[in-house]
């Protein structure tokens, strides 16, 4: 499948979650077995060296990260919203448009020196991905890159990751409309 084929599998929902926003919904891509497989294959081909772990960021990032980890032969590291993990955790706060949120991971989920690839469905402003990178680094892990199904380049998130030294690739880009 071409990238244009994959792009056609992403549904755009106007005015969600608020007026003026064009929500890029990857669930329609995930429903399409051939498209989902092609998306993961393409992302995996962009990874030069197999990481020890692929870190999935809650919630749709779990889907992308799981498939990518299996394809790369890597372990899966779950980065969750606060209060969702049962064991001892470390946390990282990050800014939202109005307020803050918090990501957590188990303190023993990432061994010092482990190489970690971040994965999520979409990169927008980069706040969530940068918080996930800080968590991995606090645990002693090495963030080797980040992979996304979709980049919204007008929001600058991928550029922020690159500025932080995180090599970033996205399957598709959707310009601001």
């Amino acid at each position: 499948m071409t990238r244009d084929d994959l792009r056609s599998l992403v549904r755009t929902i106007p005015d969600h979650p608020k007026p003026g926003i064009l929500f890029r919904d990857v669930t329609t891509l995930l429903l399409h077995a051939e498209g989902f497989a092609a998306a993961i294959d393409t992302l995996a081909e962009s990874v030069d060296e197999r990481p020890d772990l692929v870190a999935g960021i809650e919630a749709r990032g779990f889907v992308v990260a799981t498939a990518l980890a299996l394809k790369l032969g890597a372990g899966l590291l779950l980065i969750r919203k606060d209060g969702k993990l049962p064991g001892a955790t470390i946390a990282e706060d990050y800014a939202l448009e109005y307020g803050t949120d918090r990501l957590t991971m188990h303190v023993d989920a990432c061994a010092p020196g482990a190489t970690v690839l971040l994965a999520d469905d979409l990169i927008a402003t980069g706040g969530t991905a940068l918080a996930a990178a800080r968590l991995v680094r606090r645990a002693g892990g090495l963030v080797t890159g980040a992979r996304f199904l979709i980049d919204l380049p007008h929001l600058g998130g991928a550029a922020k990751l690159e500025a932080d030294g995180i090599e970033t690739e996205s399957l598709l880009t959707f310009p601001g409309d």
Side-chain angles (χ1 to χ4, degrees), residues 15-131:
D15 299 321
H16 181 79
K18 62 183 186 179
I21 302 291
L22 290 175
F23 186 85
R24 307 303 181 169
D25 180 16
V26 301
T27 62
T28 49
L29 170 64
L30 300 177
L31 285 167
H32 192 278
E34 183 184 351
F36 184 30
I40 295 302
D41 287 347
T42 303
L43 286 179
E45 289 166 6
S46 74
V47 178
D48 292 331
E49 292 186 32
R50 182 187 66 80
D52 297 315
L53 301 168
V54 177
I57 303 168
E58 189 167 343
R60 288 176 301 275
F62 291 170
V63 176
V64 176
T66 299
L68 198 50
L70 287 170
K71 185 74 176 175
L72 295 173
L76 178 66
L77 169 63
L78 299 181
I79 308 261
R80 300 223 47 199
K81 303 240 171 146
D82 195 28
K84 301 290 184 179
L85 292 170
T89 61
I90 56 174
E92 191 68 39
D93 293 332
Y94 63 101
L96 297 170
E97 186 176 359
Y98 300 102
T100 61
D101 208 346
R102 176 175 283 193
L103 292 178
T104 63
M105 67 181 234
H106 282 127
V107 294
D108 58 355
C110 179
T115 56
V116 180
L117 179 71
L118 302 177
D120 206 351
D121 66 321
L122 184 139
I123 179 80
T125 63
T128 306
L130 286 168

